[in-house]
Structures are given as structure tokens and as C-alpha cells.
Amino acid sequence: MTPSRLPLILSLFTLLLATVHCLAAGEDPKMSGVENYALNRPGVVMIRTEYTASVYVNSMKMDNKAFNTLLDSIQNLDHGGGVPPEQKLDIVLREMNNYPARFFQTTFDYIKQPEQITSIGTGFFITGDGYVATNCHLIDREDAFIRRQFILSAFRQITEASIAALESSWATHFNEQQRSLLYNTYASVYSRLFSMILYDLKKNIYVVYRSDSGNQHSDTIKRLADIVIKGQPMPGKDIAILKIAATEEMPVLSLAHGDLPNVGEQLFVYGYPGPVTNNDFVSAASAIEPTLTTGIVSAIKKSVGGWPLVQMDANINHGSSGGPVCNERGEVVGLTTFGSLESNGGLAAGLNFAVPVTILDEYLDSAGITASPGTATRRFARALDSYSQHQYRTALKQFETVLRLNSHYPGIYTYIADCRENIKVGNDQAAGGVVNVLIIGALLLLLVGGVAALVIRRSNGQRA
């Protein structure tokens, strides 16, 4: 053993000291899914883009002369009374579908149909004063797409009303096949004979998030948002930054900086997938709770524009767009943006893509925004760390600090009540855990120091 090995021993000593320090502080570079959700769930928000307009539609009327002629012809076919009423109705509906212009007439009157279309997606707070990151395509739809959606919505409502009026006047009830035939008839009528005009189109963007209060009661807050900066929907850089008026320090997700995530790395993806948000069997009150899915980085690809994309196998759906994609340290590495389509037009499972956070950084720099967690978020993270180690007294102090900074921080009242209950029943382990770690660390340090001293003495002896 020579003195030249002393730097190596000192390096090992430093590494061991840092490891003991991390253990004593309760720091673990990787989080479980439970810990990831507990930390980041408060900062995930729903993005609602609401379009309102009035659709003016030509009113129509039935040509009674043509309709009565049709009825007479059916009656002449049924001399012996062998054609049942259901079959007669089918004949009427088929004739109306085959020759809609013969049975429907336009008028000079218009029906005013007020309509609202809502697009739902996901976003997350990037600063405590209310800046939110999301996808551009959630807030920036093409005019042709919006017009088409309004006309389809108006058509559905007017058609339902027309079918109900026919059922009432004919004293009958259409089966599913007959209703489908009538839908086709009206679609042909409105597309070829009647016009639909869109007026007073307006768009409002809202950030919707959970807000807690005393007695562990939870509310949903909906705040109007302004567009600070935006890119272009795919194949452009599909990023948008919004701003709401924040009255308290909002919970924030930390952004990862540096290289892209590695293939095979674990991911945690948050969002509001439509099949869950719009599920009739799920309560409306719980719609604000985001869904967490997990997966890995499947590949790093390039967009047609030449910038990187993160491919992942975590499940997403319509409504997940704009949601944060987090690594095992709880940092955002990307924003869920688009999936892959099957040949039948449906989403291909597990073949999804996120815009990396490096693209978001470009827009933050352009807007002069510094994305960083505030005091409330940092204290909340420390409190969760102490809470997971059953250090309830330490956690309680941190949670109470968060409460003073934001009295509506999601989950805060539940954590405070749980800490107090665990302290009350004697479950607090704050002292014992840290002391044990420090004792072990001290013994390790003494051992390393003794080995180093022995090596030095032997080296000095060899030189003598």
C-alpha cells in the first residue's frame, strides 16, 4: 500500500459521508408511485376550453300533399289488411329517406339554436403565482373544426326534437332501426336543402383545480385563464402557457433539466382521460381527481420538424393531452401530447408520445418565466418525506407552514389530521429513526478513519 492510494481512500470516505448524510435526511432519489402521486397530484389541473355560439337554421315543414299521397298508395297496397302497422311505418320512413326533397320544404323562418362545445384536457402549475403549462391544441382549434362541431351539435338537438314531434303527431314510438333511418333522412335534408349559419362565436379558457377547506371538504375551483404564449398544434411545437389570477401560492410541479430521459426509464403520467371523466357511473364531484398511469420510455424519436419526442407505453386517451409526464424523482420530463392510430381510427394502446420539457423551456425563456416550486411546494415535499418515515411531529410543523401559505392546498387538512392522530396514539418515530442512522453513520466513519490511519502508518513504515 502506497501514499498514492490515499486520494482514493479519501474519495471513498467522502462518498460514504454523503450516503450517510442522505440516509439521515431521509432522502431517496427515487419515488414510488404512491409518493409520486402524493407530491404531484395537487399541482395537476384540468383545462376547459368552452366555445359558445348561436346556430341559425332554416325551419322546415312537411309537404302534407306528398305525405298524404304516400299514405294513400300504401293503403291501396293493403286491400286485404295483411300489412301490419309496423311494416307500413317502415315503408313510410324508407320513402322519406329515399326522396327527402319530395316530403320536406324549406321556409323563410329561422330557428335560433344556442350551442356550447367544451374541450377538456390537462395541465399543471409551473409557478406559485398561477402560470400553467399545457398543449396548444387544447386551446387553439381550427375554425373549420369548431364550425363543424357546432353544426353537428345543433343538428343532433334539432333532429331529436323533430323525431319526438313525429312520434307525438303519429301516436307511435320508433324503434332503434327506425330512429337511425330518420337520422339519415334529416342529415340528408339539412346537408342538401337547409342552411346553418354560425353567429357570435366566443371562446373562454378555464383552469379547473381542487381546493380543500376545513373538515376535509373539497371544492372545485374554475378560473378564467389568459394565453401568455403558445406554439402550434402538432406537427408544430404543441406547447401553451396560461396564467390565472392566483390569490394564494399554488402547488407546483418541478421541471427536469438537462438530457432527455433514458429508454427504459420509469414514467408516471397524469391526466383526465375522457372515458373516465365522462363516465356515467363516476360521480361528477370526483372528476377533478386526475388519473395516474405508468409506463417506461419506449424510444426517443424525432418529430417531422426535427425536434425530439419521447415515446412511452403508458396508457393515455382523449383528455390526457397536456398532462405532466414525470420521472422517478417526481420531475416533469414531458407533456402528454398525442397517440398513434389503428387502421380503424382508434387509439393504439401503448404507442404514445410526449413533448419533452426542453421544448417547454424554450417558451418559458421567450416569455421570461422562471419555473420553480415556491415555498409552499418545497415545504409540502419535506413534510411528505417526514410523513413517509413516520416522523409525524416534524411533518405536522411543515404541513402547518404550507397551510399558512395556502389554506386550500389539496390534501393538506387530511395530512394534518392524520399526523395529529398518529402523534396522539404514540406512532411518531422521529427521534429513534434519525438517531439510529446517525449512530450507524458514526460507526462507519470511525471504521473508515481507522483503516485510513492504518494504511498511512504502513506506508510510512515501508518508506523507512
Side-chain angles (χ1 to χ4, degrees), residues 315-338:
N315 287 329
I316 65 168
N317 211 297
H318 299 293
S320 300
S321 293
V325 178
C326 299
N327 60 23
E328 289 182 292
R329 294 179 296 280
E331 302 166 329
V332 179
V333 297
L335 288 79
T336 302
T337 303
F338 66 99

Side-chain angles (χ1 to χ4, degrees), residues 433-453:
V434 173
V435 169
N436 290 337
V437 169
L438 291 176
I439 290 172
I440 294 172
L443 291 174
L444 289 172
L445 290 176
L446 288 173
L447 177 62
V448 171
V451 171

Side-chain angles (χ1 to χ4, degrees), residues 307-441:
W307 41 273
L309 293 169
V310 179
Q311 183 183 336
M312 58 187 180
D313 68 349
N315 287 329
I316 65 168
N317 211 297
H318 299 293
S320 300
S321 293
V325 178
C326 299
N327 60 23
E328 289 182 292
R329 294 179 296 280
E331 302 166 329
V332 179
V333 297
L335 288 79
T336 302
T337 303
F338 66 99
S340 302
L341 295 178
E342 298 277 15
S343 57
N344 60 6
L347 281 175
L351 300 173
N352 305 308
F353 293 88
V355 174
V357 76
T358 51
I359 304 299
L360 172 60
D361 286 337
E362 294 178 15
Y363 288 88
L364 291 172
D365 291 342
S366 297
I369 300 169
T370 301
S372 64
T375 304
T377 301
R378 291 195 298 270
R379 289 297 181 93
F380 186 72
R382 293 176 193 169
L384 287 177
D385 185 60
S386 298
Y387 181 87
S388 67
Q389 298 179 61
H390 310 295
Q391 300 170 12
Y392 297 112
R393 292 184 188 277
T394 303
L396 179 59
K397 292 179 182 179
Q398 299 284 6
F399 283 132
E400 288 175 339
T401 300
V402 175
L403 185 64
R404 289 191 291 271
L405 294 167
N406 183 344
S407 60
H408 298 94
Y409 205 100
I412 194 69
Y413 291 97
T414 300
Y415 281 115
I416 288 176
D418 199 46
C419 284
R420 288 172 176 168
E421 179 61 26
N422 277 284
I423 293 170
K424 180 180 178 181
V425 299
N427 289 337
D428 182 52
Q429 299 177 14
V434 173
V435 169
N436 290 337
V437 169
L438 291 176
I439 290 172
I440 294 172

